[in-house]
Amino acid sequence: MRDFYEEQLNELHTQMIAMGGLCEKAISNATKALTDGDLQLAEEIMKNDAIINRQERDIESLCMKLILHQQPVAGDLRRVSAALKMVTDMERIGDQAADIADIVLDMNEKLPDKFLHVCKMGVAAMKMVTDSVNAYVDGDLELARHVIRDDDIVDGLFLKVRGEILDAIRDGSSKGEEVLDLFMITKYYERIGDHATNIAEWVEYSITGERSNEN
Amino acid sequence: MRDFYEEQLNELHTQMIAMGGLCEKAISNATKALTDGDLQLAEEIMKNDAIINRQERDIESLCMKLILHQQPVAGDLRRVSAALKMVTDMERIGDQAADIADIVLDMNEKLPDKFLHVCKMGVAAMKMVTDSVNAYVDGDLELARHVIRDDDIVDGLFLKVRGEILDAIRDGSSKGEEVLDLFMITKYYERIGDHATNIAEWVEYSITGERSNEN
């Protein structure tokens, strides 16, 4: 019975790492598709989103089974319930990468050079996702707390891009559609940063039993 | 033991209804604050968001306790696990109402009359939230399915508002800040519709054991 329990806990860990890896790939590909105007890559991201969605359900089922049949206590219970909540944030990261890919397909051209900070935002958000997944994998509390602090960088870049977009509206140098599309992309990156922060907070909780943030 | 179990299940139901009620109020107040430019109401929404966040945590704890100590089976387990996931969507609805309130505070004026469809979107999204909560409270499968269909109305209105905003950029009749603020508000309403749809899908699952949508 205990062996089977350990096996299921390991299986959960493995599935979480796999799902985290897919999310990382989704966001790094989304930024690549955006900067290169790579439509084929954008299509691929949208297809892979279905896999991420399925993985969320599989992990949810596994967590429910573990809680119900194995009745984990203390640290193990925290790990399982944190996983149950983290997958929601991971799935949203996948959704937002797909939303960015959808806009790339619609724009049908690569990111104009003048919107340099959008790309920087993509890189910063990607780092947060990678770090939050690694913090989970390694149970690294310091790294988790680092991710939570990094959210300020992404939020700062968001304000910079917003300024660039307002300039483009004012001087009429971009079409309205382009402006709204870019604004949505920056908003998606900002949200990805928020989800990575949530994941890091769940890692913190699963290690310490405390939740630092009330948002 | 069973009496205590029933009591906890009833407590969960009561808390879910209370949280649903707060979300309904948040979104209806957000639309009112936006159309009237009511800054005091906007402040109130932002304060109440903390209450919604706390409620999410309380319900999560109650669900975990129920699953762990009472080991519910079949229909009851579906109800508890659906509640555990639904609160995430409810909490996001609260967040988005607070995001709208935040923009209202920033705009410091009421919604310009020409953006009529933004208000219509608010009303349609609010109806979806109210209906999804009622579908949960009454275990009403038909109403849940109605909510899922209603999402098309909100999505249709989103495209209309987007068109109005593009017109405003093209003819220069609105400031850039106003345009971006309004676009975000419409995006928040669209997301609120998505969250209400998720809630309705969880209601459907808790009644039928089937999940209709893979998104």
Side-chain angles (χ1 to χ4, degrees):
Chain A
M1 185 74 175
R2 283 290 98 172
D3 280 356
F4 183 59
Y5 171 64
E6 288 296 330
E7 209 176 276
Q8 281 195 318
L9 270 184
N10 286 339
E11 172 64 22
L12 174 61
H13 198 62
T14 309
Q15 285 199 27
M16 290 292 288
I17 293 172
M19 187 170 174
L22 282 186
C23 290
E24 275 181 64
K25 198 178 147 205
I27 147 116
S28 89
N29 279 347
T31 304
K32 196 171 180 315
L34 173 68
T35 45
D36 300 350
D38 186 336
L39 304 188
Q40 209 178 331
L41 191 58
E43 298 263 17
E44 199 188 297
I45 297 162
M46 297 197 63
K47 263 186 228 144
N48 285 343
D49 191 39
I51 301 173
I52 295 179
N53 292 343
R54 259 203 310 282
Q55 243 177 343
E56 183 195 18
R57 305 234 170 156
D58 291 346
I59 292 176
E60 279 170 11
S61 299
L62 184 55
C63 288
M64 295 306 291
K65 262 190 236 161
L66 259 163
I67 294 172
L68 204 62
H69 300 307
Q70 310 287 358
Q71 300 196 65
V73 288
D76 281 352
L77 177 62
R78 280 208 305 271
R79 256 177 75 193
V80 176
S81 56
L84 196 58
K85 299 296 290 189
M86 278 165 69
V87 286
T88 311
D89 286 296
M90 287 182 175
E91 191 265 338
R92 295 279 157 94
I93 290 173
D95 278 352
Q96 263 131 5
D99 285 334
I100 292 172
D102 196 25
I103 294 178
V104 170
L105 288 173
D106 214 46
M107 284 168 52
N108 202 8
E109 61 186 355
K110 75 187 187 77
L111 181 73
D113 289 335
K114 65 180 166 181
F115 295 111
L116 166 76
H117 289 106
V118 177
C119 177
K120 280 197 180 166
M121 246 189 122
V123 173
M126 188 169 67
K127 185 174 179 302
M128 285 180 74
V129 173
T130 304
D131 286 349
S132 66
V133 171
N134 286 342
Y136 172 78
V137 173
D138 301 332
D140 186 337
L141 188 59
E142 260 324 291
L143 188 57
R145 289 180 173 158
H146 201 84
V147 173
I148 296 167
R149 285 194 297 270
D150 274 356
D151 201 28
D152 289 342
I153 299 175
V154 173
D155 289 348
L157 283 167
F158 175 73
L159 292 178
K160 272 210 175 116
V161 179
R162 191 174 187 273
E164 288 172 354
I165 289 174
L166 286 174
D167 287 344
I169 293 178
R170 213 163 305 151
D171 64 21
S173 63
S174 292
K175 276 189 302 180
E177 283 83 354
E178 183 180 89
V179 159
L180 295 189
D181 283 345
L182 277 178
F183 190 56
M184 275 323 301
I185 288 174
T186 57
K187 197 70 198 173
Y188 289 135
Y189 280 133
E190 191 211 18
R191 294 296 300 159
I192 288 171
D194 289 343
H195 289 300
T197 303
N198 289 347
I199 292 173
E201 284 172 0
W202 283 113
V203 172
E204 198 179 24
Y205 165 76
S206 76
I207 297 172
T208 65
E210 303 283 325
R211 288 173 72 175
S212 63
N213 194 301
E214 278 299 315
N215 291 314
Chain B
M1 186 76 174
R2 281 292 98 174
D3 280 356
F4 183 61
Y5 172 63
E6 288 296 330
E7 209 177 277
Q8 281 196 317
L9 271 184
N10 286 339
E11 172 64 21
L12 173 61
H13 198 61
T14 308
Q15 286 198 25
M16 291 292 288
I17 293 172
M19 187 171 174
L22 282 186
C23 290
E24 276 181 64
K25 198 178 148 205
I27 147 116
S28 90
N29 280 348
T31 305
K32 196 171 179 316
L34 173 68
T35 46
D36 299 350
D38 186 335
L39 303 188
Q40 208 178 334
L41 191 57
E43 297 263 18
E44 197 188 302
I45 297 162
M46 297 198 62
K47 263 186 229 146
N48 285 343
D49 192 38
I51 301 174
I52 295 179
N53 291 345
R54 259 203 309 281
Q55 242 176 345
E56 183 195 19
R57 304 236 168 153
D58 291 346
I59 292 176
E60 279 170 11
S61 299
L62 184 57
C63 288
M64 295 307 290
K65 264 190 235 162
L66 259 163
I67 294 172
L68 204 64
H69 301 307
Q70 310 288 356
Q71 299 197 64
V73 289
D76 282 352
L77 177 62
R78 280 207 305 272
R79 257 177 74 193
V80 176
S81 55
L84 196 57
K85 299 297 288 188
M86 278 166 69
V87 287
T88 311
D89 286 296
M90 287 182 176
E91 191 265 337
R92 296 279 157 96
I93 289 173
D95 278 352
Q96 263 130 4
D99 285 335
I100 292 172
D102 196 25
I103 294 178
V104 170
L105 288 173
D106 215 44
M107 284 169 51
N108 201 7
E109 61 186 354
K110 74 187 189 78
L111 181 72
D113 288 337
K114 65 182 168 184
F115 294 111
L116 167 76
H117 289 107
V118 177
C119 176
K120 279 195 181 168
M121 248 190 120
V123 172
M126 187 169 65
K127 186 175 178 304
M128 286 180 73
V129 173
T130 304
D131 286 350
S132 66
V133 172
N134 286 341
Y136 171 78
V137 173
D138 301 331
D140 186 337
L141 188 59
E142 260 324 291
L143 187 58
R145 288 181 173 156
H146 201 85
V147 172
I148 296 166
R149 284 194 299 272
D150 274 355
D151 201 28
D152 289 342
I153 298 175
V154 173
D155 289 347
L157 283 168
F158 175 74
L159 292 178
K160 273 211 176 117
V161 179
R162 191 174 186 273
E164 288 172 353
I165 289 173
L166 286 173
D167 287 344
I169 294 178
R170 212 162 305 151
D171 64 22
S173 62
S174 293
K175 277 188 302 182
E177 284 83 354
E178 182 179 272
V179 159
L180 295 189
D181 284 344
L182 277 177
F183 190 55
M184 276 323 301
I185 288 174
T186 57
K187 198 67 198 175
Y188 289 136
Y189 280 134
E190 192 211 16
R191 294 298 301 159
I192 288 170
D194 289 344
H195 289 301
T197 303
N198 289 349
I199 293 173
E201 284 171 2
W202 283 112
V203 172
E204 198 180 22
Y205 165 76
S206 74
I207 297 172
T208 65
E210 303 283 327
R211 287 172 71 174
S212 62
N213 195 302
E214 278 300 316
N215 290 316

